[in-house]
Amino acid sequence: MQSKIAKAIEMKYVPVGILLTNEKPEGSLQFKEGRWGCVAAMMSAAARGKTVVFDRKTYGCIGGGTGLGFGNTYTQFPGGIEYFLSTGNKEFCNSEIGKNIVRNMPALEHGEGYLKNPELAKKFIDSLPMTDVPTEYIVFKPLENFAEGETPKVVVFLVNPDQLSALVVLANYERDHNLNVIAPFGAGCHTTCIIPYNEEQADKPRAVIGMFDISARKCVDKDILSFAVPYKMFVEMEGNVEGSFMERHEWHRVLERNRK
């Protein structure tokens, strides 16, 4: 499956399709069971040409299980995810169980400071479109490697600011209002997986800009953000490349400076 968009914006990395499947791809990258890992790092690997796979025992971290769509795995978070995202849970960290955990997770005591207090953090978690996918596996792989009969649920572009600008414009090209792209607060995996999954259900789904997650930033290049679109919106955008600004002089001037 080739992408006209990827060619028109001259991507450094290939578009990634997210596939829900009950078949595990041979030779794919996968986290080891019980080992920590970041879903954003696997997205970067897929954008570089790898095929990666996750299941309900190998999603890397508790947040990754939720972000990928394996249900609300935050219920397993020691001391409460709402405390970890905000001010920390010193009381839990002083307990016998907490003392053992905080040695490997020091942020548990003081929190990540992404939300001002646990109450706001809980409202954020409760607002997420929790999803439990109906398949055994979730696969990230280059869009160009999708076989006939395979359809991605979401297509993800890892792009620089100029390329992101083009994608935002194209997302609005055939729409009768200008609110067709959102940039929600959330983890990197929220913005590439469960939030776009949720958008897929709308008659006119929106694209999702992401990778603002400070904890995930180290897993992508410093000038890269994600742009995730449900498949039917991807098809719409692909069909609008020809005849659009992408064939005009202004965009080609922007492209030129990215070639230097």
Side-chain angles (χ1 to χ4, degrees):
M1 187 183 296
Q2 299 297 319
S3 171
K4 294 178 182 178
I5 296 170
K7 183 178 180 180
I9 64 176
E10 298 185 2
M11 290 180 65
K12 178 180 179 181
Y13 302 114
V14 297
V16 175
I18 299 178
L19 179 68
L20 308 187
T21 179
N22 288 313
E23 297 182 10
K24 184 178 178 179
E26 292 184 7
S28 53
L29 298 177
Q30 186 175 19
F31 292 132
K32 291 183 179 180
E33 185 176 346
R35 296 291 296 273
W36 183 91
C38 184
V39 172
M42 287 297 211
M43 179 61 71
S44 291
R48 289 174 167 86
K50 302 292 185 180
T51 295
V52 302
V53 63
F54 309 89
D55 62 26
R56 286 173 172 79
K57 295 181 179 179
T58 61
Y59 45 70
C61 76
I62 291 174
T66 294
L68 284 163
F70 288 128
N72 183 8
T73 54
Y74 284 129
T75 58
Q76 306 167 23
F77 202 92
I81 183 63
E82 66 270 27
Y83 294 96
F84 183 69
L85 291 174
S86 58
T87 57
N89 191 337
K90 293 182 180 180
E91 181 178 351
F92 174 79
C93 292
N94 287 327
S95 69
E96 288 305 312
I97 295 176
K99 287 176 182 178
N100 291 326
I101 296 174
V102 77
R103 290 191 187 99
N104 297 316
M105 195 185 295
L108 197 63
E109 183 173 5
H110 301 290
E112 292 184 304
Y114 294 155
L115 289 158
K116 190 169 185 177
N117 55 56
E119 293 74 25
L120 286 173
K122 186 178 187 307
K123 287 183 179 180
F124 160 66
I125 295 297
D126 290 345
S127 74
L128 289 171
M130 297 296 179
T131 305
D132 199 340
V133 298
T135 58
E136 185 173 356
Y137 300 107
I138 296 172
V139 174
F140 295 173
K141 66 177 180 177
L143 192 63
E144 60 193 26
N145 292 348
F146 273 66
E148 187 175 348
E150 287 186 327
T151 301
K153 189 172 184 68
V154 172
V155 177
V156 181
F157 299 86
L158 296 186
V159 290
N160 66 31
D162 284 342
Q163 294 163 336
L164 179 61
S165 299
L167 290 171
V168 170
V169 174
L170 189 63
N172 286 281
Y173 182 74
E174 196 184 354
R175 300 291 183 92
D176 58 5
H177 62 84
N178 64 352
L179 300 176
N180 299 295
V181 181
I182 59 175
F185 170 74
C189 48
H190 295 162
T191 54
T192 55
C193 299
I194 60 170
I195 295 176
Y197 295 172
N198 188 59
E199 285 296 321
E200 181 193 39
Q201 301 173 39
D203 291 335
K204 289 286 188 180
R206 298 171 295 181
V208 182
I209 301 174
M211 290 295 172
F212 304 114
D213 178 6
I214 304 302
S215 298
R217 287 302 305 161
K218 59 184 178 289
C219 298
V220 297
D221 290 349
K222 64 182 180 180
D223 63 341
I224 291 293
L225 290 173
S226 62
F227 185 92
V229 286
Y231 182 68
K232 63 182 176 182
M233 186 175 187
F234 168 75
V235 172
E236 174 191 321
M237 291 174 64
E238 281 281 305
N240 283 327
V241 171
E242 295 177 5
S244 76
F245 70 96
M246 288 186 164
E247 298 180 333
R248 307 291 170 86
H249 178 65
E250 284 299 314
W251 173 241
H252 290 168
R253 287 182 62 189
V254 175
L255 275 180
E256 188 61 37
R257 73 176 182 178
N258 283 276
R259 295 172 182 149
K260 297 176 181 178

